[in-house]
Amino acid sequence: MNILDSINNNDDLRAVRAEDIPRLCGEIRSFLIDSVSKTGGHLASGLGAVELTVALHRVYDPYKDRILFDVGHQAYVHKLLTGRKNRFSTLRRFNGLSGFPNPAESEADPFTAGHASDSVSVAMGMARARTLRGEDYDVIAVIGDGSMTGGLCFEGLSDAGESGEPIVIILNDNGMSINKSVGGISQLLSRARLRPGYVRFKKAYRRMMRNLPGLYFRLHRLKEKVKKDLLPQGGIFTDLGFEYLGPIDGHDEAALESALRWARRQKGPVLIHAVTVKGKGYAPAEAFPELYHGVGAFDPAEGVSAHAEEEDFSSRFGRSAVRLAEKDPSICAVTAAMERGTGLECFSSRFPERFIELGIAEEHAAAMCAGMARQGMRPIFAVYSSFLQRSFDMLIEDIGLTCEHVVLAVDRAGIVGRDGITHQGSFDIAYLSAVPGMTLYAPSSYAELDFMLETALEKENGPVALRYPRGREGAYRGCCGDAPSTLLREGDDVTIVCHGITINAAIEAAQQLEAEGIGAEIVKINRILPADHTLCLASLRKTGRLLSVEEACRFGSVGTSLLSAASEAGVPLRGCALLDLGSGVVRHGSPEQLRRELGLDAEGICKAARGLMNEKDPS
Ligand SMILES: Cc1ncc(C[n+]2csc(CCOP(=O)(O)OP(=O)(O)O)c2C)c(N)n1
């Protein structure tokens, strides 16, 4: 009988005999590999956190205690053990399980996660609330070494260490972010993991303790002292005010349980350093953890293909940046732990000295680019739209107000799909609009991406951003040159205003509308900021009907700014429909489903146009 199938709640899990735990962990791994190979999702991180999650669930009560998984991409095992096993085939699908912790999905998910490095701060907030309200539960944050490179985490650690609040931080250290972890913190952790003197001492210590289990924790302080002498650099957590335990083997479930039980008895902040292997238990993922961080559907017997996939906006951006950097030695590419995702692998291998990977440090990246630009370099910060939100203050203060020539390659702008609400690129137009002096381009094709990147680097001055979507270009392959907007199609009845990838649906809709006798004029916005409404207003004077189509939240959208421009210019409108991402909160599902749901596909545009034609003329 499969042990995993017999587990319906935490009591069942606790009832599993200690000697059966390795078998259970094996079953969990098989389930994950089988299930994620069908649905796609995050795989390697979850495989590395199996024993850790089982131990957490055997020691704590996930419904009463608050277990926070940083980012949350490694929380599939937690979902599995909290009653969601039967829904795994719906993972990341429309109306299915979310790929990240989500309180709307289960009471065992204490907080919405998705972005890195915030778990310690959120945990501290929960611990403080518990103390102030006189309540009784434990608060635990599980954070990877990659996420620990984020500055926010250190603000949390600094507070937690000094606060004296009972709180447990588990550092799940696999030496990997999506790629290899970088930076001084990562160096420090790998020294702690590998220092031979310490490893020799630990082995001897373990052998001794096997025969004297009761002494283990009493001797902990002595061990800490020996460790401090051997590892003077490992004391950062102790110096910050934590009781520190580690490094311990993060695949030894029994050792993890003992450590957690010890941690639970402490009266202040504790940090447990667990060393794990990313992709543990699935050989291809252990060998190439970066390939198995996030996967599409694949055959587990074959593994994921390492071959380059078909070109998309990200890879085209990377190639375009390389081409420009060949001619201009001042061009540098900067990433915050997203080398692969932003298509910069070709840049890093062609120009290793001009490729800068900073770890999950978007704030630092933006300010650092400002410094580089001021001193004569041309940095491109390639970053996902939703992660750039972290850098908002630096965008205004260090780049905008000082007018630094920093180029932002804003990838995953608009609907990203299956990663859901924390990852949709909804807000970039809104927040970039607030940055003084910002120029914002919206390429609709690879040719435009090439042209606009070159313009941004070689012709512009001051802050420039390009927003482009996840995925591939559509039927539109043109290039509109340096015009701020272009009249792509003429019509008398309705003005469709769009930018970026939405042009494809707009063209399809216009063709369909023509067959119905509705003349749709299409104005494609190539440069969103600074706005130039001339062409749109001329079109609106003719048609009197505005239909904007955008993958962006309503606030700050082109549609709203056009409405106020029309009103200021005294252009009378007979009707208007703004199709966009509304509040910006868009759930998970395939991009096609989400576009259909939000009315952003050709069908939705036609429907809105027909609606406008049926509205009565107020005059
Ligand atoms: C603010 C932010 N930037 C980037 C990411 C993308 N991202 C998701 S997981 C991850 C790596 C996390 O590494 P680590 O915390 O060590 O976890 P592991 O996957 O190694 O278990 C990154 C960079 C993110 N989720 N949030």
Side-chain angles (χ1 to χ4, degrees):
M1 159 85 175
N2 192 311
I3 308 176
L4 183 56
D5 286 341
S6 69
I7 293 173
N8 295 313
N9 54 45
N10 236 39
D11 290 337
D12 295 340
L13 179 64
R14 287 183 185 160
V16 177
R17 290 176 311 174
E19 58 268 36
D20 288 333
I21 292 291
R23 208 180 106 203
L24 171 64
C25 291
E27 289 173 9
I28 291 174
R29 286 200 166 89
S30 301
F31 181 90
L32 281 185
I33 295 163
D34 181 59
S35 186
V36 176
S37 72
K38 293 187 181 114
T39 57
H42 290 98
L43 182 59
S45 313
L47 289 173
V50 174
E51 286 81 7
L52 186 52
T53 314
V54 169
L56 276 165
H57 283 240
R58 276 165 70 90
V59 172
Y60 295 99
D61 176 350
Y63 294 94
K64 171 174 163 268
D65 299 319
R66 309 281 72 187
I67 305 174
L68 295 148
F69 288 93
D70 202 276
V71 185
H73 63 309
Q74 75 293 57
Y76 293 5
V77 188
H78 165 78
K79 293 192 181 227
L80 204 55
L81 296 175
T82 47
R84 286 169 270 183
K85 179 164 169 277
N86 293 339
R87 296 183 62 206
F88 254 73
S89 59
T90 70
L91 189 74
R92 293 157 51 90
R93 303 246 153 105
F94 197 57
N95 288 329
L97 280 185
S98 157
F100 295 92
N102 177 1
E105 194 176 282
S106 166
E107 282 175 26
D109 293 2
F111 208 70
T112 302
H115 282 205
S117 318
D118 64 344
S119 62
V120 178
S121 303
V122 176
M124 259 316 288
M126 291 183 170
R128 273 209 175 94
R130 168 197 60 197
T131 302
L132 290 169
R133 290 163 61 97
E135 291 173 342
D136 178 28
Y137 51 86
D138 288 295
V139 182
I140 307 102
V142 180
I143 180 163
D145 54 299
S147 299
M148 202 170 256
T149 56
L152 175 59
C153 169
F154 278 85
E155 296 178 25
L157 288 174
S158 170
D159 177 29
E162 197 203 43
S163 71
E165 278 290 345
I167 180 175
V168 179
I169 312 295
I170 300 170
L171 167 58
N172 173 17
D173 178 10
N174 54 25
M176 297 291 295
S177 188
I178 292 179
N179 286 81
K180 256 200 120 26
S181 276
V182 296
I185 293 299
S186 152
Q187 299 284 321
L188 186 148
L189 295 178
S190 59
R191 279 202 297 275
R193 261 183 274 131
L194 296 178
R195 203 170 156 101
Y198 178 64
V199 172
R200 271 199 303 280
F201 159 73
K202 217 170 67 166
K203 278 194 178 144
Y205 176 80
R206 273 221 199 106
R207 263 199 308 278
M208 191 169 81
M209 286 302 110
R210 214 167 284 148
N211 304 322
L212 301 165
L215 266 184
Y216 185 92
F217 289 108
R218 265 180 274 151
L219 282 185
H220 178 64
R221 274 184 201 286
L222 171 65
K223 189 180 120 203
E224 282 301 291
K225 179 163 171 17
V226 175
K227 190 166 67 183
K228 253 201 163 149
D229 292 344
L230 287 169
L231 292 172
Q233 73 278 39
I236 179 172
F237 301 116
T238 319
D239 292 346
L240 283 170
F242 286 87
E243 280 290 338
Y244 172 85
L245 180 66
I248 62 173
D249 178 354
H251 298 299
D252 181 341
E253 198 275 340
L256 287 166
E257 272 196 43
S258 307
L260 291 172
R261 290 187 205 287
W262 167 80
R264 205 166 58 165
R265 287 198 299 275
Q266 304 308 301
K267 303 268 181 286
V270 171
L271 191 137
I272 296 175
H273 182 176
V275 177
T276 58
V277 175
K278 193 157 177 169
K280 176 83 176 171
Y282 181 50
E286 284 191 35
F288 304 103
E290 64 287 345
L291 261 188
Y292 287 84
H293 179 86
V295 293
F298 68 100
D299 175 356
E302 297 280 321
V304 170
S305 160
H307 297 302
E309 286 159 15
E310 216 179 295
E311 185 157 67
D312 61 10
F313 274 96
S314 309
S315 61
R316 180 60 171 242
F317 155 72
R319 287 208 294 124
S320 201
V322 166
R323 186 176 49 81
L324 295 165
E326 298 280 2
K327 293 186 279 184
D328 181 347
S330 64
I331 292 176
C332 295
V334 176
T335 178
M338 300 306 293
E339 175 183 350
R340 215 181 140 73
T342 55
L344 281 176
E345 279 173 325
C346 55
F347 195 104
S348 72
S349 50
R350 178 68 189 86
F351 301 109
E353 69 294 345
R354 286 195 265 151
F355 171 73
I356 302 160
E357 144 72 303
L358 297 170
I360 307 178
E362 289 85 2
E363 296 143 282
H364 170 54
M368 205 254 346
C369 285
M372 287 188 92
R374 173 53 61 113
Q375 295 308 112
M377 299 303 288
R378 284 190 184 160
I380 313 172
F381 178 24
V383 56
Y384 289 8
S385 163
S386 75
F387 302 152
L388 184 59
Q389 288 159 199
R390 277 272 156 97
S391 317
F392 187 47
D393 181 59
M394 291 79 213
L395 292 178
I396 292 182
E397 295 292 317
D398 302 304
I399 295 178
L401 291 179
T402 51
C403 203
E404 302 303 345
H405 186 198
V406 172
V407 175
L408 303 166
V410 185
D411 198 327
R412 306 308 197 261
I415 289 174
V416 301
R418 301 194 184 280
D419 279 334
I421 56 166
T422 52
H423 284 61
Q424 311 286 6
S426 302
F427 305 104
D428 57 274
I429 299 183
Y431 65 75
L432 290 172
S433 300
V435 177
M438 178 59 73
T439 298
L440 173 59
Y441 289 106
S444 299
S445 64
Y446 300 155
E448 284 185 357
L449 177 65
D450 290 345
F451 181 87
M452 290 171 181
L453 185 62
E454 180 160 6
T455 306
L457 283 161
E458 305 301 339
K459 302 218 177 88
E460 298 283 354
N461 226 323
V464 197
L466 276 72
R467 86 183 295 264
Y468 47 89
R470 175 177 180 274
R472 302 183 187 142
E473 64 180 357
Y476 174 83
R477 305 278 159 101
C479 180
C480 286
D482 50 15
S485 53
T486 307
L487 183 64
L488 275 191
R489 186 190 171 101
E490 291 191 48
D492 293 329
D493 299 318
V494 55
T495 302
I496 301 180
V497 177
C498 58
H499 50 83
I501 200 73
T502 55
I503 184 66
N504 298 296
I507 292 172
E508 207 186 314
Q511 285 160 354
Q512 204 169 311
L513 289 168
E514 188 178 77
E516 298 171 25
I518 300 173
E521 180 144 304
I522 299 182
V523 182
K524 183 171 109 62
I525 308 290
N526 309 311
R527 194 191 70 203
I528 296 174
L529 298 170
D532 180 334
H533 298 302
T534 321
L535 215 54
C536 288
L537 292 181
S539 175
L540 287 175
R541 274 196 188 94
K542 178 167 67 164
T543 67
R545 295 184 186 90
L546 168 64
L547 202 175
S548 60
V549 191
E550 305 176 70
E551 292 201 3
C553 69
R554 173 74 51 90
F555 181 76
S557 67
V558 169
T560 49
S561 77
L562 199 49
L563 269 185
S564 63
S567 147
E568 266 179 50
V571 177
L573 290 183
R574 283 187 267 179
C576 125
L578 308 184
L579 302 182
D580 51 35
L581 302 183
S583 66
V585 181
V586 178
R587 57 195 170 140
H588 58 275
S590 73
E592 300 71 42
Q593 273 164 322
L594 294 172
R595 287 186 181 118
R596 196 175 323 131
E597 159 107 342
L598 293 160
L600 290 166
D601 60 357
E603 196 47 55
I605 297 170
C606 287
K607 199 169 154 215
R610 285 180 212 119
L612 286 179
M613 294 309 292
N614 291 334
E615 271 173 32
K616 291 228 161 20
D617 182 347
S619 61

